Amino acid sequence: MNSSEPTASPTLVFAGGLVGAAGVALSAAAAHLGGAFTGTAASFLLMHAPVLLAVGLTGANRFLRIASIALLAGLLLFAGDLLARDFLGSRLFPMSAPIGGTLLIAGWLGIAISALVSRRS
């Protein structure tokens, strides 16, 4: 493998594993304890965990990794705000869910654009 080839990202694999585990745990919490926001946060975590794992395992290019980091940051803000509402009774901070949602959209757009970015030799 030469230095220009993408390499696997253990950090994204680790994050994907944690996000998936949190999604399962929060799904159980939502089912047993209630909390509409918790259920939504769990769904978002579970639907994004495979993306982080795939990018981390495939050795994606730098552009795709940056898009995945945007997804992770968006998840932390979006899900964190929803969980704070259910468990703390208040928001994480003003505009945290909209900022997180915007980062999620940007991350998905970055993933789409990464397919159009040519690889440099």
Side-chain angles (χ1 to χ4, degrees):
M1 175 163 62
N2 68 40
S3 62
S4 67
E5 290 181 30
T7 57
S9 173
T11 303
L12 285 175
V13 172
F14 180 74
L18 287 181
V19 166
V24 172
L26 290 171
S27 291
H32 295 287
L33 304 173
F37 292 131
T38 300
T40 301
S43 294
F44 268 77
L45 292 168
L46 285 172
M47 73 175 81
H48 288 86
V51 175
L52 297 172
L53 288 171
V55 172
L57 290 171
T58 61
N61 65 39
R62 185 172 185 225
F63 194 89
L64 191 53
R65 283 193 218 168
I66 291 169
S68 297
I69 297 299
L71 280 180
L72 182 58
L75 277 175
L76 292 174
L77 288 174
F78 185 80
D81 185 64
L82 295 180
L83 294 170
R85 291 179 196 193
D86 268 354
F87 291 105
L88 303 176
S90 65
R91 301 188 77 144
L92 192 58
F93 61 85
M95 299 297 293
S96 54
I99 292 168
T102 300
L103 283 169
L104 286 168
I105 293 167
W108 279 108
L109 289 172
I111 288 171
I113 292 168
S114 75
L116 305 174
V117 175
S118 63
R119 293 185 182 216
R120 293 184 179 151
S121 302

